Amino acid sequence: MIRKIKNKLRTHFGKPMNEYKGLNLPLFRNNHDLSDNQKYLDSAVEQIKHVNEHFKLDENAVFFDFGCGQGRLVNGFEYAKINLGNYYGVDTNPDSISWCQKWLGGYNDKYKFIHVPAYNARYNNKAKGRGKLPLGEGQADVVFLNSVFSHMLTDDVEFYLEEFYRILKNKGIVYMTAFVEENVPDMEENPPNYVRKSVGALHHVRYEKNFFFQLVKKRGFNIDNFYYQQFTRSQQSIIVARKIEGK
């Protein structure tokens, strides 16, 4: 059994699933309910199009994918034939970054994948402390987080919101998904009978809406839009926050 698990992991991180429509897709997906290749690509394109409604994604845009995982969004950009200025994907999981560098980095030299060894009780409990983001001040136009703050406690959320403010240009946006509800405790890890059964640390971190909005606003952002449980697949809400110019 142990040998089978090791071989499965070696296959997972050692090669792509196959060449699907000219793209390299991972064999096993970290994303919930996206085992189908077309559904996997369509989910990325759907989010890219939604981001584009709030900030124009063109050859001048610098896109920062925080928690890029196995590069789902990069495959979405390639599939939709969207030409960015630059893309930076970061993740605390070194295996995911290595996979992206090997199988997606060859698409275009604008795609850069960087390991940030930040502690997370769920995804990297061997790291120590938080990881400063590898961009200078005012470099990014868009910071994208898909199901990242849904696995972070308040102190970490505050730290990274400050980092997002630092790396974003004025009027740049943060596009994020999170578990956000009204009339619940300010923050709760793995609340009982919520969404799906919680398995392990930080599986579902839920925030009260006004409390979460205040976290965002205190770090120098306006809330542009809030879409409650926009995606039925994850039942997470979308928050679009824009950096306040001159703050």
Side-chain angles (χ1 to χ4, degrees), residues 45-241:
V45 173
E46 178 186 11
Q47 286 190 296
I48 289 167
K49 287 181 177 179
H50 200 215
V51 174
N52 195 53
E53 293 175 9
H54 299 88
F55 195 100
K56 181 66 174 175
L57 298 177
D58 56 22
E59 65 277 3
N60 297 312
V62 177
F63 194 98
F64 189 84
D65 190 355
F66 183 67
C68 66
Q70 300 157 303
R72 181 180 63 98
L73 234 58
V74 165
N75 273 315
F77 284 125
E78 287 295 298
Y79 184 64
K81 301 187 185 309
I82 293 176
N83 184 31
L84 293 173
N86 274 298
Y87 166 98
Y88 298 90
V90 305
D91 205 282
T92 189
N93 186 318
D95 292 320
S96 291
I97 291 297
S98 295
W99 191 93
C100 289
Q101 289 171 339
K102 182 173 183 178
W103 296 108
L104 306 184
Y107 287 166
N108 193 302
D109 60 8
K110 67 187 175 185
Y111 296 127
K112 301 172 181 65
F113 300 96
I114 305 166
H115 177 229
V116 176
Y119 175 83
N120 182 277
R122 186 171 186 82
Y123 294 109
N124 192 348
N125 60 12
K126 295 181 181 179
K128 295 182 179 180
R130 303 181 183 101
K132 196 173 179 66
L133 301 181
L135 261 68
E137 291 188 17
Q139 280 191 258
D141 294 295
V142 176
V143 172
F144 176 90
L145 303 82
N146 182 73
S147 193
V148 177
F149 282 170
S150 51
H151 309 294
M152 279 191 186
L153 303 181
T154 306
D155 288 349
D156 293 323
V157 169
E158 291 176 318
F159 173 83
Y160 286 111
L161 284 171
E162 290 178 357
E163 279 291 279
F164 298 159
Y165 186 88
R166 179 182 66 81
I167 68 171
L168 275 170
K169 300 175 185 178
N170 284 331
K171 298 184 179 180
I173 68 166
V174 180
Y175 180 101
M176 53 190 146
T177 74
F179 294 116
V180 178
E181 306 284 350
E182 294 182 339
N183 302 315
V184 297
D186 288 350
M187 187 277 294
E188 192 172 8
E189 179 183 357
N190 294 341
N193 304 316
Y194 180 67
V195 185
R196 294 177 299 276
K197 181 180 178 181
S198 296
V199 181
L202 303 177
H203 193 181
H204 301 105
V205 180
R206 181 178 66 186
Y207 286 89
E208 196 278 328
K209 180 181 176 182
N210 290 327
F211 176 78
F212 189 83
F213 280 17
Q214 286 304 310
L215 292 180
V216 175
K217 291 176 181 178
K218 286 178 181 178
R219 269 73 202 172
F221 295 95
N222 282 327
I223 304 294
D224 274 10
N225 297 93
F226 175 71
Y227 304 90
Y228 178 68
Q229 291 192 359
Q230 174 78 4
F231 295 115
T232 56
R233 178 172 61 85
S234 67
Q235 293 182 261
Q236 294 187 43
S237 299
I238 297 170
I239 303 94
V240 181

